[in-house]
Amino acid sequence: MGAQEKSPGNANSIQRVKVYRLNDDGKWDDQGTGHVTVDYLERSEELALFVFDEEDNETLLLHRISPGGIYRKQEDTIISWRDSEYSTELALSFQENTGCSYIWDHICNVQRNMHFSSLNNETFHTMNSELREFPAVELSTLPIILKTVTENGLADQMRLTEFILNDQDFFQKLMELFRICEDLENIDGLHMIFKIIKGIILLNSPQVFEKIFGDELIMDIIGSLEYDPDVPQVQHYRNFLKEHVVFKEAIPIKNPMVLSKIHQTYRVGYLKDVVLARVLDEATVGSLSSIVHSNNATVISLLKDDSTFIQELFSRLRSPTASAESKKNLVYFLHEFCSLSKSLQMVQQLRLFRLKG
């Protein structure tokens, strides 16, 4: 590779990173420490992330930057993504916040340039390629909205995402229509809303995911996906989540953000693995998996910093008056807690395991 010939000897701590790879057991394996840079691939106009080992200058990582929304920036020092070439999650843990921001901005700029280049070179346009405005969300306009969402080129996908994000009430209005159609048993309307929501999810926009996976909307979103026109029977995903998925609190969790993240994680995973398992593309699956991993890391991080919670956990485990069932649930919780802690950075894992109840 052309970039490999360049010595990173002048790289400073801003570009110093650890490379991590998620193994089959869900644990982050340390792949080594080096210096990261963005450079062109040899004999190519494509840009990639290179990480060179700080000891022997060997290539620890070569990742071709993707135009898709696969990248996530976490805790100011981590950039992670689902890498199709390696078929797993990869992460860069930066020594300094400024280095993380610097590379993140580079990735975003490369993606913007890739989008503009694609738009300039696109020769085939569908009938929506001159999309100027988005239809008002009404029962009578559902066919137009469906056509707009499902029949578009790259230019319209970007513009469509902008329209959806700029309309603060878009999803609330669409879900109101969903409830009306469900009350009226309007199957044609329900089938159209299913296709609209599926099409929007396949836009694979992190900002859109942030909206539709929030506590206010996610159950209606899942409900709208019960009406797949390609499936003979109506599904009952909401009933399953409400009646059969019981969240057992072995120990009370008082932080509302933690509770929200726990519920969101299960629902997003259920949507990925069950509701839309047969229709999602690899990029969208990767993005949803990243949300799950990020949520798990957030939950563990918030709980480990709650000294009262940790103390109460071990106090209950030691209590001679606790029932066998209670202790069993506490042990299950502690096992899950430790298992999910593998998603944390190594430094944070060490801090966690030094905690004493």
Side-chain angles (χ1 to χ4, degrees):
M1 295 296 171
Q4 286 178 295
E5 298 171 3
K6 300 177 182 180
S7 171
N10 61 347
N12 55 31
S13 60
I14 291 179
Q15 293 173 277
R16 192 167 186 262
V17 294
K18 273 189 175 292
V19 180
Y20 289 97
R21 179 175 178 175
L22 194 68
N23 64 27
D24 293 337
D25 297 325
K27 184 176 180 180
W28 288 103
D29 288 338
D30 187 345
Q31 303 291 295
T33 302
H35 295 94
V36 62
T37 186
V38 176
D39 210 334
Y40 287 98
L41 293 168
E42 186 178 18
R43 293 187 295 275
S44 171
E45 294 185 358
E46 294 183 284
L47 285 158
L49 286 173
F50 294 86
V51 179
F52 301 104
D53 190 284
E54 65 180 359
E55 297 295 333
D56 56 19
N57 201 25
E58 290 295 316
T59 303
L60 288 177
L61 175 72
L62 189 163
H63 167 71
R64 193 189 318 267
I65 295 175
S66 164
I70 65 172
Y71 304 99
R72 299 183 70 83
K73 185 167 177 273
Q74 306 169 45
E75 300 182 7
D76 296 326
T77 57
I78 300 173
I79 296 174
S80 63
W81 67 92
R82 174 78 183 178
D83 196 297
S84 57
E85 185 174 342
Y86 291 90
S87 299
T88 188
E89 293 273 334
L90 294 173
L92 298 179
S93 177
F94 289 75
Q95 179 173 321
E96 297 188 14
N97 296 1
T98 50
C100 186
S101 298
Y102 176 75
I103 294 298
W104 178 257
D105 290 341
H106 256 298
I107 292 172
C108 293
N109 286 333
V110 171
Q111 288 186 311
R112 277 193 289 270
N113 290 336
M114 292 169 80
H115 284 308
F116 287 136
S117 176
S118 298
L119 294 178
N120 291 335
N121 294 329
E122 194 174 79
T123 56
F124 174 78
H125 296 271
T126 66
M127 63 175 294
N128 285 320
S129 61
E130 295 301 323
L131 182 62
R132 300 295 182 189
E133 60 182 10
F134 200 64
V137 183
E138 299 171 359
L139 197 58
S140 60
T141 61
L142 282 180
I144 304 173
I145 294 173
L146 176 58
K147 200 174 194 69
T148 304
V149 169
T150 58
E151 298 182 11
N152 51 64
L154 176 60
D156 285 341
Q157 289 180 11
M158 296 170 65
R159 191 173 292 275
L160 175 60
T161 302
E162 289 180 11
F163 282 139
I164 291 171
L165 292 173
N166 288 336
D167 184 348
Q168 298 295 321
D169 299 322
F170 172 79
F171 287 110
Q172 284 84 353
K173 293 174 184 174
L174 189 59
M175 291 302 97
E176 285 175 13
L177 285 183
F178 160 67
R179 290 190 290 272
I180 291 171
C181 288
E182 196 168 45
D183 290 342
L184 298 176
E185 298 184 357
N186 180 345
I187 298 301
D188 288 340
L190 291 168
H191 284 172
M192 282 190 284
I193 292 173
F194 169 91
K195 292 178 181 178
I196 290 168
I197 292 297
K198 183 184 78 170
I200 289 173
I201 288 174
L202 289 174
L203 290 174
N204 197 17
S205 164
Q207 294 92 339
V208 170
F209 290 154
E210 188 175 343
K211 282 181 174 288
I212 65 175
F213 296 151
D215 293 340
E216 182 182 353
L217 289 173
I218 190 166
M219 289 302 287
D220 279 336
I221 292 292
I222 290 175
S224 71
L225 295 172
E226 294 177 352
Y227 296 90
D228 186 345
D230 295 329
V231 176
Q233 296 86 21
V234 175
Q235 303 302 297
H236 301 285
Y237 302 130
R238 286 169 295 178
N239 284 346
F240 175 80
L241 290 172
K242 291 174 182 175
E243 297 175 11
H244 300 288
V245 179
V246 180
F247 175 55
K248 291 184 179 180
E249 284 188 276
I251 182 171
I253 297 174
K254 299 172 184 176
N255 188 323
M257 180 180 292
V258 171
L259 289 172
S260 176
K261 291 290 184 185
I262 290 172
H263 291 306
Q264 184 190 67
T265 298
Y266 186 86
R267 291 164 181 169
V268 171
Y270 184 72
L271 187 147
K272 173 177 70 73
D273 298 329
V274 178
V275 180
L276 292 178
R278 65 184 183 83
V279 301
L280 293 178
D281 55 40
E282 185 178 345
T284 308
V285 169
S287 294
L288 298 183
S289 296
S290 292
I291 291 173
V292 169
H293 288 308
S294 177
N295 280 3
N296 285 338
T298 299
V299 167
I300 297 301
S301 182
L302 289 172
L303 289 181
K304 78 174 177 58
D305 292 335
D306 185 342
S307 58
T308 303
F309 177 85
I310 297 294
Q311 288 170 4
E312 187 171 354
L313 170 62
F314 285 99
S315 174
R316 292 192 180 201
L317 279 169
R318 298 187 187 107
S319 172
T321 60
S323 67
E325 180 69 18
S326 175
K327 286 199 172 183
K328 183 177 75 172
N329 289 334
L330 287 165
V331 170
Y332 284 154
F333 174 84
L334 186 58
H335 178 270
E336 183 73 5
F337 186 79
C338 292
S339 177
L340 291 180
S341 70
K342 295 171 184 176
S343 63
L344 296 174
Q345 286 180 271
M346 189 61 66
V347 172
Q348 292 177 320
Q349 287 187 43
L350 293 173
R351 287 176 186 163
L352 171 62
F353 295 133
R354 289 194 189 105
L355 291 175
K356 295 181 180 179

